[in-house]
Amino acid sequence: FIKRSIMFVSRILKAADHPYLFGPGGRRENNFKPMQGLTWGTLKHHKALQPLFIIIGGGMIFVAAYIGRLASKTTDVNWLKHKNPEDTYGYYSSRQFKFLNPAGVDYSKYGKDRPNYRD
């Protein structure tokens, strides 16, 4: 029974040998060519795609830089292997880790007036 079912599947797969799929101008030939605008020659030809590629490329660079900054500067990611979280998060107690500071807050003095309940 298994041999007959394997032969049945292989016969179906061999039946897909049709000029519509594999012949000249067929699906395989059209699907394996790169899209227009993704090669240097077609990008030079289609002038309207050039600003799009520049804007999208700049956006990808900005996103990569921002994710790198989030991974290295915020308190959400912990790269240190201290057992006590106070050692890790005490580092950020008087530092600015926000991306923008439009209010001009001086973070070196920020939080010094809080009572210390841990002592």
Side-chain angles (χ1 to χ4, degrees):
F1 177 72
I2 294 174
K3 186 175 181 181
R4 287 178 67 193
S5 63
I6 291 174
M7 289 176 58
F8 179 72
V9 171
S10 64
R11 283 177 43 202
I12 290 174
L13 292 175
K14 287 180 185 176
D17 187 19
H18 193 271
Y20 174 72
L21 297 173
F22 301 109
R27 302 282 296 174
R28 175 171 278 184
E29 183 181 338
N30 289 330
N31 287 341
F32 287 117
K33 286 193 294 188
M35 289 175 33
Q36 287 191 2
L38 293 181
T39 62
W40 188 251
T42 59
L43 188 60
K44 287 197 311 190
H45 176 70
H46 295 285
K47 301 286 186 197
L49 292 178
Q50 293 173 359
L52 179 70
F53 269 73
I54 291 170
I55 290 169
I56 296 294
M60 290 189 317
I61 289 171
F62 176 77
V63 167
Y66 187 67
I67 288 174
R69 187 185 188 288
L70 283 176
S72 64
K73 297 274 186 188
T74 64
T75 59
D76 297 331
V77 178
N78 184 7
W79 294 96
L80 304 174
K81 301 295 180 190
H82 297 300
K83 298 277 186 196
N84 188 7
E86 297 296 323
D87 297 336
T88 303
Y89 295 116
Y91 174 78
Y92 294 104
S93 63
S94 62
R95 287 187 155 74
Q96 175 186 349
F97 59 89
K98 293 182 180 180
F99 190 65
L100 296 174
N101 186 8
V105 177
D106 184 16
Y107 284 98
S108 63
K109 299 174 186 156
Y110 191 75
K112 298 289 184 187
D113 54 349
R114 292 185 291 215
N116 188 4
Y117 295 111
R118 291 184 178 86
D119 289 340

